[in-house]
């Protein structure tokens, strides 16, 4: 078994434990959702593609009708405050050990494949051991508390993976090429500044709909960037690519599709407005996108 | 042209505020069908791509750790620290976090942060505690809208810091993607060249968002009586 396979088993076991915990509390839809996700983790490699696809559709259907989690028990405020006073800054250590182990592992064993993910898992394991000792909790409490958090995140936990799958389907169907063809056919790009503006705005817009600048970059750069900015106007492909990618990131700041960044915080910070984080980020994104267009115009044709 | 119907599904889904997970799956199915693949074929394609991207879920392994620390009072401790710290305002605190997040990401330490690991247990409670202190005493405790605004700002500082810091690091995914893509198109570029051209935008991102954070302080200091 590969190391990555081991991580999937670990994830599958964790989500299965959450699912059992949901079922014990009578939250059936949540139990079905996390149970199905656990099956995809544990058995995805040997189930048929069709069955794996059916699991994805089941997840989407459950998200659509609502997961209806039940309130999970945790320590009350006075208990937490007393615990915070006793444990003090030691409480921060397990949280900090996660990034420390993952960075150290990545640097020390840089030759091992998938080392970033393996190190992150090692960091999480180290953090878990430390946290259990510190707050004197057993594995059952760890599962309970993990479930409380996963209930807060909800269906958004699965969205990034579904988006990556959508990107795969888009690529197979040739969506990128059609978008680039339409853009070059209908938008006049006779001046260098226009070409730069169309490329940067296109990166941001396409990222906005896809939720991911990585999916937009090859499409826009092959369709507009290389043939027009580089080919026709003699721009520098390296400068164009670097600033083009960052223009895409401006789109990421504004889209609910970028679930990890824009939807997960709304859920875990208990915000009522689903677009609260996007609304804070949007002015910075627009100013920065305009700045990127100017920067590229100045730097790409040096 | 027909294959663009998936993009239309995504846009309509947003407009009518339908659950994004359902919208994304529907968009994938519609796109596949529009491209002339039969229904079982599309479902299989979706399942294959979903399973191939399971590595994206690995960061969720931190959930039990953060949950346990919250039970142990990490958020209350973070609050207490800020309440003791004189001169800590929401905007200044988030400005320092933005700087640390951006610089550490530029050095390749992208793991040092994140919404679930860092913002929920530490940064958001700290920013809230600072906002409570900044407030004119006659205004009483933080109202719901202000609390939400402060939390959303904590999340935004994390995102903006990592987005416009990571591209300055030579071994990050986006820089390697650019290098690979350019190579396929017969342009040879070293990662360091790509990373260098990310610096002007990184500096501007810090300046633009930094000013906005300081403006946030002024807004919070005005309290309820302000416009």
């Amino acid at each position: 078994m590969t190391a990555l396979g081991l991580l999937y088993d670990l994830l599958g076991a964790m989500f299965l434990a959450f699912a059992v915990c949901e079922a014990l509390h009578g939250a059936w839809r949540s139990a079905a959702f996390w149970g199905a996700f656990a099956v995809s983790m544990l058995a995805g490699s040997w189930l048929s593609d069709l069955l794996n696809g059916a699991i994805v559709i089941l997840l989407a259907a459950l998200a659509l009708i609502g997961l209806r989690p039940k309130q999970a028990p945790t320590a009350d405020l006075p208990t937490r405050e007393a615990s915070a006073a006793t444990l003090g800054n030691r409480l921060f250590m397990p949280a900090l050990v996660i990034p420390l182990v993952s960075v150290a592992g990545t640097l020390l064993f840089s030759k091992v494949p998938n080392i970033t993910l393996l190190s992150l898992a090692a960091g999480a394991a180290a953090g878990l051991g430390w946290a259990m000792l510190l707050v004197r909790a057993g594995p059952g409490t760890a599962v309970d508390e993990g479930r409380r958090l996963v209930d807060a995140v909800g269906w958004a936990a699965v969205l990034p993976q579904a988006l990556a799958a959508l990107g795969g389907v888009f690529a197979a169907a040739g969506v990128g090429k059609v978008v680039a063809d339409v853009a070059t056919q209908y938008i006049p790009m006779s001046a260098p500044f226009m070409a730069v503006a169309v490329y940067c705005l296109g990166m941001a817009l396409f990222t906005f709909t896809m939720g991911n600048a990585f999916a937009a970059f090859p499409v826009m750069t092959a369709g507009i960037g290389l043939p027009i900015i580089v080919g026709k106007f003699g721009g520098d492909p390296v400068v164009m690519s670097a600033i083009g990618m960052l223009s895409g990131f401006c789109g990421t700041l504004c889209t609910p599709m970028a679930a990890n960044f824009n939807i997960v915080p709304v859920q875990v910070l208990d915000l009522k407005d689903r677009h609260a984080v996007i609304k804070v980020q949007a002015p910075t994104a627009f100013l920065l996108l305009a700045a990127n267009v100017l920067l590229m115009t100045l730097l790409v044709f040096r | 042209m027909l294959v663009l119907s998936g993009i239309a599904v995504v846009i309509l889904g947003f407009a009518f505020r339908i659950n994004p997970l359902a919208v994304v799956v529907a968009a994938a199915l519609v796109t596949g069908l529009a491209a002339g693949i039969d229904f079982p074929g599309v479902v299989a394609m979706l399942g294959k791509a979903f399973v191939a991207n399971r590595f994206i879920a690995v960061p969720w392994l931190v959930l039990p750790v953060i949950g346990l620390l919250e039970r142990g009072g990490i958020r209350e401790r973070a609050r207490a620290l800020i309440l003791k710290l004189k001169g800590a305002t929401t905007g200044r605190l988030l400005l320092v976090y933005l700087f640390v997040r951006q610089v550490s990401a530029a050095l390749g330490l992208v793991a040092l942060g994140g919404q679930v690991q860092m913002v929920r247990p530490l940064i958001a409670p700290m920013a809230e505690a600072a906002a409570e202190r900044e407030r004119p005493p006659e205004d009483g405790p933080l109202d719901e809208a202000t609390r939400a605004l402060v939390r959303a700002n904590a999340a935004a500082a994390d995102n903006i810091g990592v987005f416009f810091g990571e591209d300055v690091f030579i071994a990050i995914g986006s820089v390697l993607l650019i290098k690979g893509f350019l190579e396929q198109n017969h342009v040879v570029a070293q990662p360091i060249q790509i990373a260098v051209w990310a610096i002007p935008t990184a500096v501007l991102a810090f300046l633009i968002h930094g000013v906005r954070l300081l403006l946030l302080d002024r807004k919070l200091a005005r309290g309820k009586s302000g416009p």
Side-chain angles (χ1 to χ4, degrees), chain A residues 45 83 145 261 269 281 284, chain B residues 54 71-72 151 159 209 212:
Chain A
S45 306
S83 163
E145 293 292 335
F261 303 107
L269 298 176
Q281 290 170 170
T284 299
Chain B
R54 280 179 296 176
R71 184 189 183 89
R151 288 182 183 179
N159 285 339
H209 200 66
R212 290 193 57 220

Side-chain angles (χ1 to χ4, degrees), chain A residues 193 196 239 243 291-302, chain B residues 197:
Chain A
F193 173 76
V196 167
V239 176
I243 301 177
N292 276 336
V293 172
L294 293 179
L295 271 179
M296 194 187 289
T297 311
L298 288 174
L299 298 173
V300 82
F301 303 115
R302 283 165 310 134
Chain B
W197 290 111

Side-chain angles (χ1 to χ4, degrees), chain A residues 121-134:
Chain A
L128 182 61
W130 199 335
M132 282 166 69
L133 283 177
L134 196 66

